[in-house]
Amino acid sequence: MTTLEHVKALKDTECIADVLKKEISVNPCKDCGKCTFGYEGITQLEMIMNDITERKGRGGDLELITDLCGMMREQSLCEEGEKIAEAVLTAIELYRKDFEDHIGKKGCRAGVCKKFMTYHILADMCVGCGDCIDECPEDAIIGKKKFVHIIVQDECTQCGKCVSACDEEAIVTAGAVKPRCPKKPIPCKKR
Ligand code: SF4
Ligand code: SF4
């Protein structure tokens, strides 16, 4: 399947930014260098797409990609540069909202990009032992003994260290659909 075919047949379980990142990473332009637009274009595209999937996207990225791909499509010496540019332009046309959600830090619809996964403590599983607090390097967890603990999303860096600290398996990750959790510590039901 070509990149363009893959873009057009994207599954619900796939993330368009992740698909393009992987396709770009194996594109022949990266190892060619015979034309500036192909080589420089793919290098720039790879950096931007990596940033978008790593939660480092910036306003203006889509315009930059569109300009870049427009030039690659017109000026690359062979069809490799033209084809990847066409696929990326088609992706932006078909899935603009998915890109905007990544860049605006709202999330990854398909739940594929790990940096967009969030960590949560399930209220009916937590026994309020406090082990997760001790493990969190960001002080992103609040709670006290025998109270359900809470992860403060703005402070969490998605390192995952708290998950292995919890013997109760109360800490889970979530993509687009988030579990319902209390907003502040409440007494534990589980003892
Ligand atoms: S989430 Fe797990 S480690 Fe943290 S207080 Fe609750 S039971 Fe203990
Ligand atoms: S994922 Fe890391 S930063 Fe987030 S709450 Fe758990 S230990 Fe803290």
Side-chain angles (χ1 to χ4, degrees):
M1 196 180 343
T2 66
T3 305
L4 183 58
E5 286 167 348
H6 194 167
V7 164
K8 287 182 175 173
L10 191 78
K11 297 180 191 144
D12 285 346
T13 52
E14 290 179 309
C15 162
I16 186 63
D18 177 70
V19 164
L20 288 179
K21 177 174 83 169
K22 288 174 180 156
E23 295 278 354
I24 288 167
S25 74
V26 295
N27 186 273
C29 295
K30 280 185 66 181
D31 300 315
C32 172
K34 283 186 188 152
C35 71
T36 307
F37 283 101
Y39 181 73
E40 290 297 336
I42 205 76
T43 305
Q44 291 288 323
L45 271 183
E46 185 169 40
M47 283 195 302
I48 299 169
M49 210 57 75
N50 282 345
D51 280 352
I52 288 174
T53 57
E54 294 280 323
R55 220 183 159 112
K56 294 185 219 153
R58 287 172 290 263
D61 276 352
L62 287 185
E63 290 70 24
L64 191 55
I65 293 173
T66 303
D67 288 349
L68 207 52
C69 288
M71 286 188 276
M72 281 177 80
R73 189 171 59 180
E74 301 304 321
Q75 310 278 350
S76 297
L77 277 185
C78 82
E79 64 171 12
E80 293 299 347
E82 295 164 17
K83 282 194 301 188
I84 190 71
E86 182 65 29
V88 174
L89 288 169
T90 303
I92 292 175
E93 201 180 310
L94 294 178
Y95 311 107
R96 176 171 279 274
K97 178 154 188 334
D98 284 357
F99 286 110
E100 287 173 346
D101 283 352
H102 280 75
I103 292 166
K105 319 280 189 284
K106 289 188 187 142
C108 171
R109 174 194 51 74
V112 170
C113 297
K114 289 204 167 35
K115 280 288 180 185
F116 288 92
M117 300 295 277
T118 47
Y119 286 74
H120 306 269
I121 297 175
L122 300 177
D124 54 353
M125 301 282 282
C126 176
V127 295
C129 67
D131 289 353
C132 55
I133 288 189
D134 296 340
E135 200 61 32
C136 178
E138 307 296 333
D139 294 332
I141 302 177
I142 55 172
K144 57 184 180 181
K145 289 288 173 197
K146 299 194 175 160
F147 275 66
V148 172
H149 286 44
I150 310 289
I151 294 177
V152 181
Q153 297 301 327
D154 286 348
E155 305 292 331
C156 175
T157 55
Q158 294 87 35
C159 74
K161 289 184 178 166
C162 54
V163 176
S164 46
C166 180
D167 292 338
E168 304 296 323
E169 298 183 354
I171 305 180
V172 295
T173 54
V177 181
K178 312 294 184 193
R180 291 188 65 185
C181 296
K183 299 256 184 299
K184 55 184 184 181
I186 54 171
C188 294
K189 286 190 185 144
K190 188 177 177 188
R191 305 272 165 186

